[in-house]
Each structure stands twice: as structure tokens, then as C-alpha cells.
Amino acid sequence: MAKDGQLPALARTGIAGLDNILNGGLTPDRMYLIEGTPGTGKTTLGLGFLLAGAAVGEAGLYITLAETEVELRAVAETHGWSLDSAQPVRDGPRRRLWRGSRTDAAPPERGRARRDDLAR
């Protein structure tokens, strides 16, 4: 709650129909997990949310283990969005992103993480 006792302004998702269903957007300062099968709009929602935040001066971070910068830019383009102001940050080859915390989990073949390995 804001210092004056008022509820904080909702964070727009960047998707007008979803904002309407949510009565204006998401409650700020919360963590949201978006899950779904391929093609359900997770990337669209994530990019839309970040772009809506950027439009009001907020910083954002998009972390992906599967999509390339080219793929993300293509998704944005299909919605008429521009990622020209986005600055990609890379942690090097994807194999560096794999972190095994279980002793029975062996690194994936050729050092590349498969989605099944990351979900464990």
C-alpha cells in the first residue's frame, strides 16, 4: 500500500484485452509466473509488459533460455512493436546457463541445456 493509504497504481500488461479482464493490470511489486505450452502467448505477454513499462520510464529485464534475439525481434514485429531501444545482454553460450544442483543430474550432451533438463 502507498504511504498515503491508497492502493498503488496497477501495472499495465501491454495487452489491452488482458488489462481489461484484470480491471486495469497487475498488482505491482509482485512476482508472476507465466506458464504455457508453445504458442500460447508467453513471449507476447512478456514483451508487451516490458514495453508498457518502458513507455512510462521503467526498466525491465527479459530472461530467456530458448529464444534468440532474432526470434524475440520477430515476435515484436508481428505485433507492430519495436525493440530498437532494447539492449541485449548475453551471458555467453547457453551451456553456461545450465546449473545442476542435483547430484544425480548430469550435464546435457555437448554442454547444451535441453528444456527438460532445465525444468528439473
Side-chain angles (χ1 to χ4, degrees):
M1 211 176 262
K3 291 179 184 179
D4 61 4
Q6 298 292 321
L7 292 175
L10 296 175
R12 301 237 179 242
T13 66
I15 311 296
L18 181 57
D19 286 339
N20 187 41
I21 291 169
L22 296 172
N23 293 316
L26 299 169
T27 303
D29 301 321
R30 302 286 190 276
M31 185 177 297
Y32 295 92
L33 173 66
I34 308 302
E35 181 182 18
T37 57
T40 56
K42 300 176 302 293
T43 300
T44 297
L45 176 59
L47 291 177
F49 181 75
L50 289 174
L51 290 170
V56 295
E58 295 178 356
L61 178 65
Y62 187 97
I63 299 173
T64 179
L65 299 177
E67 296 150 313
T68 66
E69 179 182 350
V70 171
E71 291 168 330
L72 290 174
R73 290 185 183 280
V75 169
E77 188 175 308
T78 65
H79 296 290
W81 300 333
S82 171
L83 298 181
D84 290 342
S85 63
Q87 305 214 349
V89 177
R90 293 178 183 84
D91 184 37
R94 288 183 183 168
R95 69 177 179 269
R96 293 168 127 194
L97 298 175
W98 187 82
R99 305 276 193 268
S101 60
R102 293 173 40 183
T103 56
D104 61 339
E109 294 177 16
R110 290 178 264 128
R112 294 194 62 118
R114 294 186 325 252
R115 287 182 188 179
D116 294 344
D117 295 319
L118 294 169
R120 289 186 191 175

